[in-house]
Structure formats: structure tokens, C-alpha cells
Amino acid sequence: MMNPIALRHSYRSLPLILPALLLAVTAVGLELGIFLRTGHFVYPLDDPYIHLAMARHFAESGIFGVSLAGFSASSSSPLWTLLVAFNFWIFGNHEIIPFLLNLLAAVPLAWRLTRHAARHWQSEWTAAAATSFFLFALPLPALISLGMEHTLHILLVLLLVSRIGHPVPESTRFSTYFHLFFLGFAATLTRYETGFVTVPLLVILALRRDWTAAATLAAACALPVVMIGGINAGLGWHFFPNSVLMKSVLGSSGWEQVDQIAKRFYGQLLGTPHLLLPFAFSLGAGLYTLRGDPDFSSPETIRNFVFPVALMLHCSLALIGWFYRYEAYLLALGWMALVPFIPTPAGWYREIWTTAAPRFNRFVIHAALVGMLLLGLTPFWDHLQSIRRIVPGAENIYHQQYQMGLFLRACYNGATVAANDIGAINYLADIECLDLMGLGSREPGWANAQGRWGAAFIESWCRQRNARIAVIYESWFRRNLPESWIKIGEWTVNQQETVADTTVAFFALSPDEAPRLRAHLEEFSSQLPPGIQVRFIDSSPQ
């Protein structure tokens, strides 16, 4: 029989692990739902397959590139790609590995967030319930199912900020600085947005006059950027990864860059309630704590300075959206910053709710309080809804990009193929991919910078590289497709959940290739799952 003390300790520990268990069960349930719908472990976006393709090529042939064309600066998360590649090398090429890595990062993350709330709230069960809601509103189950680096990045960033928030005893200075260096280096190597958190942390360390810690953190965050940038530039690519250039203001210059910064700041921060609300509350909390802690010695003051500053930098220079994955680390920082202050308004809320008043007045008070609560939670409703999109989104990707990859593997393995959505096709097939949008190939980026990108450039480039076919979203190119290309057929999915376009077109790039492509498409069409409409340009839908 269990010792009563041990039983009581187990009961007290249960709320701390409950959100992590609930999160894990939900994520596994989503993955099982995907498997039942598709028969495979499929991700709901094409982006995770870019990491998978690079990891597979690196593990199998030492090529750190999205295709067999060679090295490509396509990943803004080298650490995540290397982690997946290492696991491929150890365990083999299994699509579920990124999901499992996310699960391994999510469990300690959920436990840390729950423990943080329990420290500041009287009831551990209340802390567990509130943290569970926050984890789903983040939405962490969706981030786990995406199979990308965002869960790991959130965990590393929170650990980094917590390290600055605690004083360093003289006896452990070396180990603490080593820990600080490791966290800064790993977080930046996971996502470049770590720099937005590093800036306010460096300001705090400078105000403290802790120059050793400031130098350690600055070196830790600069080293991966310089190291990866040097490799990229040395191999003929831009200093920053193509994904960073395409999704940040670094891709523009001059007044256009200034204009983008202003538009992003006002549109992404002031125009999105799910960021504006915690930003405003954190500013108020920060000003309150700063009055009694001008030296930034308390974790509360530090968090309520780091979060709004990092949020402003991110919204001005980077992007938000797409399952809320880009801003998830900021929302987690906001939760950590605001948790210590929630009991005070909660107490006011409870006091007003229980105030003695005539029946009608009590009804009005209760209705007003419920309305205020719902109004504050409304911006996060779409976050919860995004979890519902995971399974149909994965099925959507399976019907389009996944089938494109299977088709190329069956009919064009080893060939040169032009494309614009490059993740799944390069993971599933061994092709030399010419990315017309420039994420996996450097030539379109250079051509665009020089004003040469268009139909003439695309035709010349594909001819020089002996490309045989193109598999593209025709709507993305409008008048920029070469007239010599011969459109053979289309696949159209019956819904648009996470694919960028419902229709993908197949082009032969020479007259000799046209009959072969037609024959391949006709043969492969019998293998397509239900829900895909096949059309050839000279026939009715099949």
C-alpha cells in the first residue's frame, strides 16, 4: 500500500503534469486521425518537408540541400534540420521523427509553463486548467503536428530569458555563462528570431553592468548567424538564408524597407488583437514593476520588458500567421510575463461577482463580467480552431504535394524538374529541383534583384539545366510562363484547407517530352486517391 505522504505528494504533483499529458494525448490523437485518413504520417503544410528533404539528403549523401542539385540555403533553422538528419542517420528515414522530436520538446515546455503558474497562484489545479487553455490557444498541439522547429524554439527562448532573470552566484559563474552561451547559440541556430529577444536582454545586462554576461550572450547569438552566413556566402548564396530574406524586411532595401517596417508594425501588432492585448497588459505590468525595480533585478520586470520589446521588433521586421507558428514564442513569453499579475484582477473579478446586490443588478453585473471575459478570449478562438484544421490540412497536402512527390518518384526520379512548392516532392523523389520562386535555388533570387526574373529568364534557365517538366501553380506566374512550355494536364483537389492553390499544372518543356509526360500522367492517375480531379487539356475531366 502506498505511503500516505507519497500519495499526497503524488496528488500534488498531478496538476503539474496534467497539461503535458493532455497536450501529448491530443497531439497523438491528431496524428492518429491523419494516419486513419491518409494511411501515412503526413504534415499539414509543405514547409516541414523542406526540412525533411534537406535532412534526408544530408543523412544519406552529405548534401545539405533541398534537392540533388546541391547545397541550398533554404533552411532558417539549421539546428532543427541537423537534428532530424541525425535521427535519420541513426533510425532511418521515417516521416514521424519530426513529430516525435516536437513531442519531446513540448512535454518539458508544458511542465515548465504549468510550474510557473503554480508558483504564483494559490491553487495548482487552477494553474493547470489555465495553462492547459493557454497551451491549446498557443496553439501547441498544432505546432507539434506541423513537425517544425517552433516548439523547440519556444522552449529554448524561455530557458534563455529565465537564465537572465536569476542572479548568478559567484561560485557558479563559469557554468552559468556556459549555460547562457549554449542557450543563446542553440536558440539562434533554431530560429533567427531569437535576435529579437536578445536585444532587450542585452539592454538589461548593460544596465546591470554585467559586461561578461552581455558579451557571452552577444557572441552566442552572433556566432551562428556569422557561421551560417559565411558558409552560405562562400558557396555562392546570400548571407542570410533564402527563407529569412523572403519573409523579412531584409529582402527589400532603401525606402521600400522603411515602408515595409511601418506597414508591418501597424498591421501586425496594432491590427491583431491576439498580440495587441497581451502587449498592452505587459506594458502596464512592466511600468508598475519598474517603479520598484529600476535595476531589472526581478524576473517579473525582466519578462515584462523583454516581451513587448521583442514583440515590437518581430512585428516590424518579420511575419506572423500560418497556424500562429511565427509568433508562438512571443505569446509564450507574454504568458510567462503576465502570469504573476493575473491573481490580482482575478481577485477583483471574484469580489465583484460575489458582491451583494438586488437580483436584477446581480444579473447585469454577471452578464457584464462574462461579456468582458469572452471579449478578452475571443481573439484566441481562431487559435483553437486551427487545431481542428490539422487533420483536413494534412489530408489536403496528401492529396496534392504528397501525390506530386510520389508521381515524380515513380516517373522522373533522377530528372531535372522545375517547381514552385518544393518540400514534399524533394523529400519523396530524388530529383534535381529548379525552384522558380527562389527558396531552393539561388538563380531566381539573383535574377529578381537584377530585374531579370520573368518568362525569358525562366525559359533560358530551365533549358540550360536540361529540365524536362514543370509542376507548378499556374496562378502564381500569370504572364511569366514561357510560351514554349506545353501544358499537358492538371490535378485539382476538392478543397483548399492548407494548399496554396487547388490546381497544380504539369508542363512538358519540350515537344519530345510532351507524349511521355502525358503517358506518365495517364498511367499514374489510377493510383491517385479519391477527391482529385484529373484533367488533360484536350479531354474532359476523368
Side-chain angles (χ1 to χ4, degrees):
M1 186 174 180
M2 183 177 287
N3 185 292
I5 297 177
L7 183 63
R8 187 163 57 250
H9 179 74
S10 176
Y11 176 78
R12 290 188 61 187
S13 300
L14 180 60
L16 296 180
I17 63 174
L18 192 61
L21 289 174
L22 183 61
L23 178 69
V25 169
T26 303
V28 171
L30 290 172
E31 206 64 27
L32 287 175
I34 293 170
F35 187 80
L36 291 174
R37 295 273 284 267
T38 66
H40 296 269
F41 291 104
V42 184
Y43 295 100
L45 293 176
D46 189 63
D47 291 3
Y49 290 99
I50 294 176
H51 292 294
L52 281 164
M54 296 183 72
R56 180 175 75 85
H57 293 141
F58 190 65
E60 294 176 356
S61 57
I63 298 174
F64 196 75
V66 74
S67 84
L68 294 181
F71 174 86
S72 66
S74 306
S75 173
S76 58
S77 179
L79 180 60
W80 183 256
T81 305
L82 291 172
L83 276 175
V84 177
F86 177 75
N87 280 273
F88 278 0
W89 182 64
I90 297 293
F91 303 108
N93 177 15
H94 300 291
E95 291 165 273
I96 198 173
I97 283 176
F99 169 79
L100 295 177
L101 290 174
N102 265 281
L103 209 55
L104 286 174
V107 169
L109 172 61
W111 177 81
R112 187 172 187 84
L113 291 172
T114 309
R115 190 180 65 169
H116 176 66
R119 281 199 192 117
H120 295 279
W121 297 355
Q122 292 181 354
S123 170
E124 292 181 341
W125 288 100
T126 301
T131 304
S132 297
F133 175 82
F134 171 75
L135 291 174
F136 279 75
L138 194 55
L140 200 52
L143 299 182
I144 296 170
S145 299
L146 289 181
M148 299 183 73
E149 72 280 0
H150 303 284
T151 306
L152 175 62
H153 183 239
I154 297 170
L155 178 62
L156 290 172
V157 165
L158 293 187
L159 291 174
L160 177 62
V161 175
S162 295
R163 172 54 59 194
I164 300 295
H166 293 88
V168 182
E170 190 69 36
S171 58
T172 60
R173 278 191 178 274
F174 177 80
S175 61
T176 302
Y177 290 143
F178 178 81
H179 192 197
L180 179 62
F181 181 88
F182 171 79
L183 289 173
F185 183 88
T188 306
L189 201 58
T190 302
R191 283 197 71 80
Y192 279 36
E193 286 94 329
T194 303
F196 301 145
V197 178
T198 303
V199 170
L201 289 178
L202 289 176
V203 171
I204 291 170
L205 292 173
L207 291 173
R208 287 181 179 178
R209 299 187 181 279
D210 192 345
W211 305 116
T212 304
T216 301
L217 179 60
C221 296
L223 184 58
V225 176
V226 173
M227 182 176 65
I228 298 300
I231 294 173
N232 293 343
L235 293 173
W237 291 70
H238 291 288
F239 182 85
F240 289 101
N242 282 17
S243 56
V244 173
L245 293 175
M246 294 174 71
K247 297 177 182 179
S248 73
V249 297
L250 293 173
S252 55
S253 59
W255 283 111
E256 182 185 357
Q257 195 172 62
V258 175
D259 182 57
Q260 274 205 34
I261 290 173
K263 287 181 178 178
R264 290 186 184 214
F265 177 80
Y266 286 104
Q268 296 187 146
L269 177 55
L270 303 183
T272 50
H274 74 280
L275 294 178
L276 183 58
L277 281 175
F279 174 76
F281 289 142
S282 182
L283 276 182
L287 291 173
Y288 174 79
T289 58
L290 195 59
R291 291 188 307 172
D293 182 27
D295 299 325
F296 292 92
S297 58
S298 74
E300 288 77 15
T301 308
I302 291 170
R303 293 191 184 104
N304 281 288
F305 177 73
V306 171
F307 166 61
V309 173
L311 180 57
M312 288 190 292
L313 290 172
H314 183 106
C315 288
S316 301
L317 303 173
L319 286 178
I320 63 173
W322 275 103
F323 288 101
Y324 308 97
R325 54 190 171 126
Y326 298 128
E327 65 265 37
Y329 77 102
L330 294 167
L331 292 174
L333 283 173
W335 171 260
M336 295 286 283
L338 292 174
V339 154
F341 300 92
I342 292 177
T344 300
W348 297 339
Y349 190 95
R350 191 183 306 110
E351 184 179 347
I352 296 173
W353 181 272
T354 56
T355 298
R359 187 172 182 179
F360 178 76
N361 290 354
R362 283 176 60 82
F363 173 79
V364 173
I365 291 171
H366 290 178
L369 291 176
V370 171
M372 290 173 60
L373 181 62
L374 292 177
L375 189 64
L377 297 178
T378 297
F380 300 96
W381 174 247
D382 286 340
H383 292 229
L384 296 171
Q385 287 290 93
S386 68
I387 300 173
R388 182 190 58 80
R389 296 181 60 197
I390 290 296
V391 175
E395 186 178 29
N396 210 195
I397 293 294
Y398 177 72
H399 282 170
Q400 189 181 89
Q401 282 94 337
Y402 205 91
Q403 298 305 316
M404 290 158 54
L406 294 178
F407 170 73
L408 293 175
R409 183 170 69 186
C411 305
Y412 285 93
N413 232 31
T416 302
V417 176
N420 60 250
D421 234 1
I422 63 171
I425 63 173
N426 282 288
Y427 172 64
L428 294 168
D430 287 324
I431 59 174
E432 183 175 335
C433 181
L434 306 184
D435 181 7
L436 302 180
M437 303 309 295
L439 179 60
S441 302
R442 59 185 173 183
E443 290 86 350
W446 295 115
N448 187 53
Q450 298 166 5
R452 295 188 296 109
W453 191 89
F457 162 77
I458 292 173
E459 183 174 30
S460 173
W461 180 43
C462 290
R463 187 186 300 115
Q464 290 174 6
R465 302 292 290 271
N466 298 315
R468 293 173 57 184
I469 68 169
V471 186
I472 60 171
Y473 293 138
E474 197 173 1
S475 61
W476 283 21
F477 295 89
R478 301 184 182 275
R479 299 179 182 178
N480 288 315
L481 289 178
E483 294 182 1
S484 62
W485 287 12
I486 305 167
K487 185 177 178 181
I488 303 301
E490 295 177 342
W491 290 350
T492 301
V493 294
N494 58 10
Q495 62 177 339
Q496 187 174 6
E497 194 69 42
T498 54
V499 296
D501 195 319
T502 56
T503 299
V504 60
F506 295 81
F507 289 83
L509 305 195
S510 68
D512 293 340
E513 190 59 42
R516 287 194 291 267
L517 176 57
R518 168 93 183 212
H520 289 320
L521 287 171
E522 289 177 342
E523 181 183 1
F524 192 82
S525 62
S526 63
Q527 304 177 36
L528 293 172
I532 303 175
Q533 185 184 60
V534 181
R535 187 176 76 89
F536 296 99
I537 59 170
D538 58 350
S539 65
S540 58
Q542 297 184 358

